[in-house]
Amino acid sequence: MSTYPNLFTPITVGKMELPNRLLMGSMHTGLEDIAGLERLATYFAARAAEGCALMVTGGFSPNATGRLSDGAASFDHEFQVPGHRRVTDAVHHAGGRILLQIIHAGRYGYHADIVAPSALAAPINKQMPREMTEADIEETIEDFVRCAALAQDAGYDGVEIMGSEGYLLTQFIAARTNARDDGWGGNFENRIRLALEIVRRTRAFVDSAFVIMFRLSVLDLVENGSSPDEIVMLAQQLEAAGCDVLNSGIGWHEAPVPTIAQAVPRAAFTSYTKAIKGMVGIPLIASNRINTPDVAEKVLASGDADMVSMARPFLADPGFVAKARDGHAEEINTCIACNQACLDRYFVGRVSSCLVNPSACHETEFDFAPPALPSRIAIVGAGVAGLACAVTAAGRGHDVTLFEAADRIGGQFNLARRVPGKYEFDETLRYFRVQLEKTGVDVRLGQSATTSNLDDGNFDAVVLASGVAPRPADIDGIDGINGAQVLGYMEVLEGNAEIGRRVAIIGGGGIAFDVALYLLEGDDDSFTDTDAFRQSWGIGVAREEAQPRHEITMVQRTPGPMGRGLGKSTGWIHRAILKRNQVRQLSGVTYRRLAVDGLHIEVDGAPMTIAADTVIVCAGQEPRNELMAALAAAEMPVHTIGGALKAGELDAERAIREGVELGLKL
Ligand code: NAP
Ligand code: SF4
């Protein structure tokens, strides 16, 4: 019997029989916007080949005004059918089914001609939308139907109509954004009319076997959004209009509450899908922060939904379904909800990838074929760069020895995992541990690499992945001589140091934010427990303001706002938590000295003392590559990756990518 009996119980969606209850949910990766759609086809086919039975494309708009941005894809003309046919053929050939998502961005579009039910600008988009006329609305319904018809011609098994996250259909549904006084606004019946008309007319036009999924906002998380009763009524009317299945959307993009980031506990929102259970006869799909088969199984076993949707976990591991199905869940490369290489990349106009799996969405650029001649490779350092290189190279057939001076693998990840919300890093370390074993890497923990043991090992190549060391701050008294308590960020995150109430943090980068978060919410269960999370963000309950645990001042020399390097989709969450804890941030400072009464600085030429019991140095890092010169002198072929190569702006994404890329080159 399967470890996940509910997950692998077949289900019928419309007239479609599916062997499991996992949906690869829609996620815009940028591959949709590349002409020809060859890469999109390869990306989806790779997931279908590994047991993913049903997937949804990223959003395609039904007309030009509905586009997400200037360069974003629409599907509004027959000449686009052959490109889409490439995608559907590839997926069907690999044994999967695929739906096309139709999305109209409404006032969330980033281009000159955006429209909305009313001329009200979104808080996350400065541009004022044009109010749609009745003729525009009629035309838009026809455009949705045409898009669905084109999708059917292109071989899709159905469509998902995007009716959540604050896009056009939600903008009509919610009084927040719909101030119309004609037949498309005012009362609830009028506001949901557009969504229902689209479903009705699409149902009437397409074949009965063509699946219509609707992504319903089961929780808006904004003022003047839909009420729970309205959400149920809409679900029932969508079913009556011809929907085969309802997927769940959580929160509008303008909602001031995290919905998919690391700050959200796993499966935190499935109860909102459950609220519709029993009210409709069609299958319901739960979504958001479901990232392991265990979590998915629990959602289904508890009756919260009939299926579960996950999107990012399929970037992290295309083999998710097959591994869960075949009893190898421990081999799954788990999505850690960082958004760093997927959403944050897409937001800056790059094709998405995945921090833990750099080949995601770049399948055609990564060749995992065995080398012509296997060689003996030594890797120095079992941080994530060294680990990624070791398992990639060994997986291809090289004989790999991994030296690590510490008594455990993981390097800086062992510290980062202690930061609130980063506990998912444990999954990455579990994944690497299993892969080291599976690929037969000879792991030498507690063993520093030296030129002599590297020489004795008769290695063909040495990979230096020895990571970084914290950069000391050059401030008078920083070595503690003036009586102040000074700690490095590593000592703090290790968790054994006594920290005073008043804290000054030197530095305003990612680690300084992490350290502040750790001090303020380190043992807070709002990152892991759903009730505590709701309490913390005021979801359905009033937020209780608590006294901050520390009085924190962060300082940096560079002028301007701190945390500019934080991710676009997650930085605001860090900032919000620090703000509610009254963290003070001072930029453009000059350091003078550190003394027993605190940190003496100058701001705009004026002296200031930051009273602090503890000063924590988060001043960036420097490469640790002491072995480099000795190895060069010994004429050993050396490759350097990760922090040992370049510490400035090092992040885990680059470290893992460099590890994998070198593992493929060797
Ligand atoms: P960082 O982002 O480069 O920030 C280093 C900070 O130290 C800066 O604020 C800098 O400010 C200060 N600094 C540099 N040299 C200094 C010196 N000699 N004396 C005093 N202050 C000095 O480095 P990090 O915070 O260590 O982060 C390392 C990498 O990990 C970054 O790429 C970061 O983005 C990534 N990371 C990201 C996250 C996240 O996104 N949540 C979390 C952790 C780490 P001034 O030079 O202006 O004083
Ligand atoms: Fe998940 Fe991070 Fe990969 Fe995105 S980049 S898929 S959030 S692990």
Side-chain angles (χ1 to χ4, degrees), residues 312 315-316 334-342 353-356:
R312 295 171 300 170
L315 257 64
T334 303
C335 166
I336 58 173
C338 63
N339 289 353
Q340 220 173 303
C342 52
S353 181
C354 172
L355 182 141
V356 299

Side-chain angles (χ1 to χ4, degrees), residues 7-320:
L7 208 47
F8 290 98
T9 297
I11 185 168
T12 306
V13 170
K15 295 185 175 171
M16 182 191 283
E17 301 285 332
L18 296 170
N20 60 59
R21 291 170 178 242
L22 264 174
L23 171 77
M24 177 178 173
S26 174
M27 175 161 176
H28 221 78
T29 61
L31 293 177
E32 305 77 12
D33 311 332
I34 301 176
L37 302 182
E38 283 93 351
R39 283 178 62 184
L40 190 68
T42 308
Y43 161 73
F44 279 123
R47 274 90 191 148
E50 301 259 14
C52 181
L54 183 62
M55 46 194 73
V56 186
T57 65
F60 287 84
S61 63
N63 55 30
T65 51
R67 281 169 308 144
L68 292 160
S69 64
D70 267 329
S74 57
F75 191 8
D76 48 6
H77 206 282
E78 269 173 31
F79 75 80
Q80 295 159 322
V81 167
H84 285 276
R85 173 64 71 176
R86 210 167 269 139
V87 176
T88 58
D89 280 351
V91 170
H92 292 154
H93 184 69
R97 313 279 183 84
I98 185 159
L99 313 183
L100 177 101
Q101 189 190 68
I102 312 178
I103 189 170
H104 191 302
R107 68 178 194 164
Y108 280 175
Y110 288 93
H111 54 85
D113 184 25
I114 61 170
V115 294
S118 304
L120 298 166
I124 54 170
N125 186 358
K126 289 193 189 100
Q127 199 185 326
M128 180 62 76
R130 175 172 62 78
E131 179 175 314
M132 292 170 81
T133 62
E134 295 214 36
D136 288 332
I137 295 171
E138 273 300 326
E139 224 172 276
T140 300
I141 297 170
E142 290 309 313
D143 291 341
F144 267 84
V145 178
R146 180 187 56 206
C147 187
L150 288 170
Q152 183 169 270
D153 287 351
Y156 285 101
D157 301 281
V159 288
E160 177 181 69
I161 296 169
M162 181 48 156
S164 64
E165 264 86 355
Y167 291 109
L168 183 78
L169 301 192
T170 353
Q171 291 160 26
F172 268 88
I173 293 165
R176 172 186 182 81
T177 36
N178 186 339
R180 302 178 73 94
D181 55 9
D182 59 5
W184 303 96
N187 62 32
F188 180 63
E189 282 64 38
N190 284 350
R191 286 187 271 119
I192 63 174
R193 202 172 137 210
L194 175 61
L196 294 178
E197 272 308 301
I198 287 171
V199 173
R200 254 185 231 121
R201 292 196 213 173
T202 303
R203 184 76 281 163
F205 196 89
V206 296
D207 295 345
S208 62
F210 191 74
V211 168
I212 299 181
M213 181 187 285
F214 190 91
R215 181 106 171 252
L216 171 69
S217 184
V218 296
L219 178 68
D220 285 346
L221 290 171
V222 290
E223 276 176 34
N224 278 330
S226 297
S227 70
D229 287 347
E230 287 175 339
I231 291 166
V232 170
M233 279 192 282
L234 176 55
Q236 290 169 332
Q237 297 202 33
L238 286 166
E239 179 179 18
C243 273
D244 297 302
V245 52
L246 294 176
N247 193 4
S248 304
I250 307 289
W252 291 31
H253 288 322
E254 65 203 64
V257 174
T259 54
I260 59 167
Q262 286 170 335
V264 181
R266 291 171 170 184
F269 294 107
T270 59
S271 61
Y272 296 93
T273 305
K274 189 178 193 172
I276 308 171
K277 278 282 274 192
M279 304 294 193
V280 292
I282 51 178
L284 292 170
I285 307 177
S287 175
N288 288 44
R289 284 293 278 125
I290 300 170
N291 66 338
T292 71
D294 294 83
V295 177
E297 177 68 16
K298 212 165 136 201
V299 170
L300 295 173
S302 61
D304 284 9
D306 303 293
M307 291 179 68
V308 291
S309 169
M310 39 180 91
R312 295 171 300 170
F314 281 100
L315 257 64
D317 197 331
F320 186 102

Side-chain angles (χ1 to χ4, degrees), residues 340 422 471-475 489 506-512 514 555-558 565-567 574 591 618-621 647-651:
Q340 220 173 303
K422 292 198 173 176
R471 178 189 293 131
D474 182 19
I475 302 172
Y489 69 84
I506 294 179
I511 288 183
D514 276 359
V555 259
Q556 72 173 17
R557 295 166 301 182
T558 309
L566 299 179
H574 282 80
Y591 294 116
C618 304
Q621 288 107 18
E649 293 182 20
L650 174 78
D651 58 38

